[in-house]
Amino acid sequence: MSSNHTDCHYCLQSLRGRKYALREENAYCVTCYDSLFANPCEECKQPIECDSKDLAYKGRHWHEGCFKCAKCSRSLVEKPFAAKDELLLCTECYSDEYSSKCFHCQKTIMPGSRKMEFKGSSWHESCFVCQYCRQPLGTKPLITKDNENYCVPCFEKQFAHHCYSCKKVITSGGVTYHDQPWHKECFVCAGCKTQLSGQRFISKDEYPYCVDCFSKLYAKKCAACKKPITALGGAKFVSFEERQWHGECFNCVKCSVSLVGQGFLTRQDDILCHECGSA
């Protein structure tokens, strides 16, 4: 039944000279409107009558006078507030109870302000800055040293090592050789360019060489087996008149007895024990 605003849409009593409320273009007397549509107040549980201000938050309703902090009872009308476990709290009470402290300044991070999270700690956005240039880090890449945060350019200027080979910054890992830092991928054999990180190598004129390259380029050849003589593993060798032998190759050419530490004779290019040489 439509209303012409002269009678209550529900009880049909005349509205002439009486207060009424409109809902979906229908008029209701105050009594009918409150009984049909008034929301119960979350605080006092009484209906919020049509002549009272109805304050709503996430589907719940309060009288204007009931909309207050659950801890200190201060009015929250037109004030910032926070909700915790369905309780409304002013920002001060919420901060005292629940807000985290800034890792840098140790002051409360107020509700509604932007908070940065890093390594399990919270920061004010204005406190989360590069220790060197003091510019905000936000979500930029950063590096931490001694519990201080640095933007990448500042960290590289202040602390990073530069590779002896390519001169670029070493951001992680690396190899030290002759007290100089190298990228692992730059620390290669001076001969064949094979990576030497974690491998055995030999130094020559301040350059590293893999065993094969050093043997080919610099190692002396054994007069007996003609293979390179290297000192890797503490191998022993014998030198005589500009010739060299592996320790295990320095034997009599006739009877093959070892001559290491023993007297010997020479016959042209051969070496002999005393017994074979005297025969």
Side-chain angles (χ1 to χ4, degrees):
M1 180 177 180
S2 62
S3 172
N4 57 10
H5 295 187
T6 59
D7 299 325
C8 173
H9 184 70
Y10 187 74
C11 69
L12 304 181
Q13 292 186 22
S14 174
L15 297 176
R16 294 183 184 279
R18 299 170 61 191
K19 288 184 178 180
Y20 65 90
L22 291 174
R23 184 180 177 88
E24 297 178 356
E25 298 185 357
N26 295 319
Y28 297 84
C29 66
V30 171
T31 302
C32 288
Y33 184 90
D34 288 343
S35 65
L36 292 172
F37 306 116
N39 295 305
C41 175
E42 193 74 21
E43 176 66 22
C44 69
K45 310 306 180 185
Q46 297 299 312
I48 303 172
E49 299 170 338
C50 66
D51 57 351
S52 299
K53 184 177 288 187
D54 184 336
L55 300 179
Y57 175 71
K58 290 190 174 180
R60 298 187 292 160
H61 300 264
W62 288 262
H63 289 105
E64 185 175 15
C66 295
F67 194 63
K68 55 191 177 183
C69 174
K71 185 176 181 184
C72 70
S73 298
R74 283 186 291 184
S75 174
L76 297 177
V77 177
E78 297 183 359
K79 302 279 182 61
F81 64 89
K84 180 71 175 179
D85 299 329
E86 297 190 355
L87 296 177
L88 301 184
L89 300 167
C90 64
T91 53
E92 290 82 359
C93 289
Y94 183 88
S95 298
D96 291 341
E97 291 290 324
Y98 304 109
S99 288
S100 52
K101 298 290 191 296
C102 175
F103 181 83
H104 178 73
C105 69
Q106 295 302 308
K107 294 181 180 179
T108 299
I109 301 175
M110 299 297 288
S113 61
R114 190 171 182 187
K115 179 173 68 174
M116 309 303 295
E117 298 281 351
F118 181 65
K119 289 189 175 180
S121 298
S122 301
W123 308 63
H124 290 112
E125 185 178 23
S126 57
C127 291
F128 194 57
V129 298
C130 171
Q131 178 67 18
Y132 186 72
C133 68
R134 312 307 298 176
Q135 293 299 307
L137 291 170
T139 57
K140 298 176 183 176
L142 62 93
I143 301 173
T144 300
K145 179 178 173 62
D146 299 330
N147 289 326
E148 299 288 358
N149 300 320
Y150 299 84
C151 64
V152 174
C154 285
F155 182 85
E156 291 178 353
K157 290 177 184 176
Q158 292 294 106
F159 305 109
H161 295 293
H162 289 75
C163 177
Y164 182 78
S165 176
C166 71
K167 311 306 179 185
K168 295 181 180 178
V169 170
I170 301 173
T171 56
S172 63
V175 175
T176 299
Y177 171 68
H178 282 186
D179 295 326
Q180 297 292 346
W182 303 61
H183 289 113
K184 286 184 178 181
E185 58 271 23
C186 292
F187 188 60
V188 298
C189 171
C192 66
K193 307 305 179 184
T194 300
Q195 287 192 25
L196 296 176
S197 178
Q199 307 297 321
R200 293 197 302 176
F201 64 90
I202 302 172
S203 178
K204 172 71 174 176
D205 299 330
E206 297 189 357
Y207 290 99
Y209 292 85
C210 66
V211 175
D212 287 343
C213 285
F214 183 85
S215 297
K216 292 175 182 176
L217 294 173
Y218 300 108
K220 297 181 182 298
K221 301 296 190 296
C222 174
C225 70
K226 309 306 180 183
K227 293 180 180 180
I229 298 173
T230 67
L232 289 175
K236 295 181 179 180
F237 69 96
V238 177
S239 179
F240 176 70
E241 292 183 349
E242 298 184 356
R243 291 188 293 165
Q244 288 80 31
W245 292 261
H246 292 109
E248 61 272 20
C249 294
F250 192 60
N251 304 319
C252 174
V253 296
K254 283 192 174 183
C255 67
S256 299
V257 68
S258 174
L259 298 178
V260 176
Q262 306 297 320
F264 62 90
L265 301 173
T266 62
R267 182 180 298 164
Q268 296 179 344
D269 290 336
D270 294 334
I271 56 172
L272 302 160
C273 65
H274 280 290
E275 185 176 346
C276 292
S278 302

